Amino acid sequence: MRTFAETADRIAATTKKLEKTALLAKYLKSAPIEEAAVAAVFFSGRAFPMWEETTLQVGGTLLWRIVEELSGRSDLELTAAYREHGDLGAVAGAVLPGGTETQSAPSKIRLIFREIAAVRGPAAKAVLVRKLLSQVSPLEAKYIVKIMTGDLRIGLKEGLVEEAIAKAFGGRVKDVQRANMLLGDIGETLRLAAEGRLAEARMRLFHPIGFMLASPAESAEDALSYFQNAWVEDKYDGIRAQAHCSGETVRFFSRTRDEITESFPELPDALAGLPQDVILDGEIVAWSYLDDETPTDDGDAKTENVERRVPAMSGVEGPSPVLLKEETGRALPFSALQQRLGRKKVSEQLMREVPVAYLVFDVLYAGGELVMDRPLRERARILDELLKTRTINHEGREGTRRKTKANPAITQSNLAFDPECLPPTQIIRAPVFQASSPEALNKLFDDAQARGNEGLMIKDPESPYTPGRRGKSWLKLKRELATLDVVVTAVEYGHGKRIGVLSDYTFAVRDGDRLLNIGKAYSGLTDIEIAEMTKWFLDHTIEDQGFRRTVEPKVVLEVAFNNIMKSDRHSSGYALRFPRIVRLRPDKLPEEADTTQRVEDIFQKQGG
Ligand code: AMP
């Protein structure tokens, strides 16, 4: 771990990407493969490979307390050190006395991380963390703490680790990226690269892979400037979910690659038994049943549906026709879905009160073949074929609800409901429209809003599926032209009835590796959300200044505002006029927050 830490220090000391990758490549090549594999994961700022669900569950407050205790420094001295260094790892490196252990290879540290992850409760974790930090040298402690907090802050993104692996073992960067994307494990990728077997990396079902991301479009004209014939879908306001299906086993993963199957126990059943193994991409939304669920005078539900074929426009070969059964219901806003999120157990009552649907818009893998490199046009055809019998999973129609069989992804406790008593679960192929003029796009935008959806997703039919990348092949056109996804960096106690809760948030946008504050907002969340967030912030405080606390920069919020102003009040050099919190974005990582560049773009577009 000493060489790891020394290398990390050297990488931090240069701003040149080529130098960073060269230093890292040299280290990876000189270390034994097993150690290099673990180190590659650590260099990506993770304790465990991405696909693993294991987490350390050691908060900043606990680490702070341990560093304070081992260093014998007062809270004030530590706070001063934190102000000077900017992160807890660097503070640990500066103030810890260091131990006598000399043989702490990365693999040994990883074993200790596994023990820490396995024990329950902060007290038991603290014992192990204290022991670890008291044994290693201050420099090693610096990086161990950084890995534990999930950010090395040495200007090294996973992309550079991929480049370093290619450089060290002579593969093509493209092949390393692909293997890493498929495996979700940079260490395993390194092992394959070292053995010249990158091409053998295979898709592994139930290991979530990266999601393709969208870039914002400022207007219909702007969107169509990227590609002429756009495929257009409604932008549903729910949570992104990747479904891995193999026979009766179906699991859902969120954008942060956490398994979320337990929160939606009614969904796997609706997708179970597909004829092939598949990975689907879509959005889980709260769903409201409209007309056809309304009992008629004689007590039966209306079952008649209108089928509508999407017209192909301007002679271009269109998407394969999508059946829209218009009267089966509509997606509800995100606030309705919120009650369903983050639960391990979902009561039958909640499933009845907040039914959900899975709107599927892409397929990444089908029948033993990775289809991500094929153009959207082809993937859409595969998807239509796959979901032909399930486009609407409704009582009394083809592809109706199946009898629940034991799904290994669902715990027994979650099956404590009678699926026959619940509203039918919908698996819906998201309807695809086409537009080749701003007028047509604006009309679709209005229609989407009339259906209660957030806006539009505009996609290039010729584009491949590029996991984890935010390109211009998918564009999003939203209701509020200007909302920003920001990271909460500090919180304050509120006023009036909010005097006892942390309700005022200071938030930041990304600027390279830094977070620069851009504003502060007071409300917008519900009392329940504020209470929950207060608890989280108390547990994840970095510095307690009495009325104000700097907190771990992990919480992402979506904020709306009227416009952007230049201002030296905040470190970004900008301020938001009338900022308001639209919602929490638990599905987003801080690395996915908006950047100062986007702020500048919006500022320019609004006329400076
Ligand atoms: P945003 O979260 O604002 O960055 O917008 C991108 C998100 O919109 C995606 O990650 C999806 O969760 C969501 N979304 C809703 N409808 C669609 C759709 N039809 N295609 C792709 N993404 C969609």
Side-chain angles (χ1 to χ4, degrees), residues 214 233-236 239-240 255 283 361 457 459 470 474 476 478 485 585 588:
E233 294 156 9
D234 283 17
K235 185 174 190 302
Y236 303 97
I239 58 161
R240 186 85 174 265
R255 220 165 111 164
E283 188 91 350
F361 46 74
M457 294 296 298
K459 302 181 177 178
R470 193 181 295 283
W474 283 16
K476 53 187 178 188
K478 290 210 247 181
D485 291 328
R585 294 296 312 249
K588 280 209 169 173

Side-chain angles (χ1 to χ4, degrees), residues 73-264:
R73 306 286 174 104
S74 70
D75 195 39
L76 229 79
E77 286 172 311
L78 222 52
T79 303
Y82 186 84
R83 282 222 187 89
E84 186 188 336
H85 295 284
D87 83 274
L88 192 52
V91 172
V95 302
L96 287 180
T100 51
E101 179 82 63
T102 49
Q103 285 302 315
S104 49
S107 60
K108 189 169 169 213
I109 303 296
R110 165 84 133 255
L111 275 179
I112 299 171
F113 280 166
R114 289 216 180 278
E115 284 174 37
I116 295 171
V119 296
R120 291 189 166 242
K125 287 181 191 285
V127 172
L128 295 175
V129 176
R130 202 177 293 123
K131 187 164 162 225
L132 171 60
L133 294 184
S134 61
Q135 284 172 345
V136 297
S137 69
L139 181 63
E140 289 168 309
K142 170 178 174 181
Y143 285 99
I144 288 171
V145 170
K146 279 170 179 266
I147 295 165
M148 293 182 91
T149 53
D151 195 353
L152 290 191
R153 298 172 73 119
I154 57 172
L156 196 68
K157 291 261 139 45
E158 188 153 296
L160 290 187
V161 183
E162 290 171 336
E163 281 178 31
I165 291 175
K167 203 182 188 93
F169 303 104
R172 289 188 305 174
V173 177
K174 225 175 94 192
D175 296 336
V176 175
Q177 285 171 341
R178 186 173 177 83
N180 189 27
M181 181 265 292
L182 292 176
L183 300 171
D185 187 340
I186 190 92
E188 182 66 21
T189 302
L190 179 141
R191 220 169 276 136
L192 289 182
E195 292 165 9
R197 298 193 297 126
L198 280 174
E200 289 173 32
R202 290 279 171 276
M203 177 79 242
R204 293 190 287 191
L205 268 183
F206 307 113
H207 286 200
I209 57 177
F211 288 80
M212 180 154 176
L213 304 172
S215 299
E218 303 300 341
S219 63
E221 288 79 4
D222 181 31
L224 287 175
S225 68
Y226 294 98
F227 33 90
Q228 269 217 322
N229 293 295
W231 277 20
V232 184
E233 294 156 9
D234 283 17
K235 185 174 190 302
Y236 303 97
D237 200 6
I239 58 161
R240 186 85 174 265
Q242 196 175 90
H244 289 230
C245 317
S246 178
E248 297 301 318
T249 310
V250 177
R251 291 182 173 180
F252 287 83
F253 299 92
S254 73
R255 220 165 111 164
T256 42
R257 305 197 198 192
D258 297 308
E259 181 161 2
I260 49 169
T261 322
E262 284 182 325
S263 298
F264 305 102

Side-chain angles (χ1 to χ4, degrees), residues 480 482-484 507 518-522 559-567 569-570 574-581 599 602-603 606 608:
E480 303 234 26
T483 69
L484 285 174
F507 46 76
I518 189 163
K520 193 171 157 188
Y522 298 90
V559 290
F561 49 89
N562 287 19
N563 52 41
I564 293 178
M565 302 168 294
K566 288 255 189 210
S567 154
R569 210 165 119 211
H570 300 292
Y574 291 100
L576 306 180
R577 198 165 148 78
F578 301 125
R580 44 206 184 267
I581 299 170
V599 172
I602 300 174
F603 182 74
Q606 78 189 15

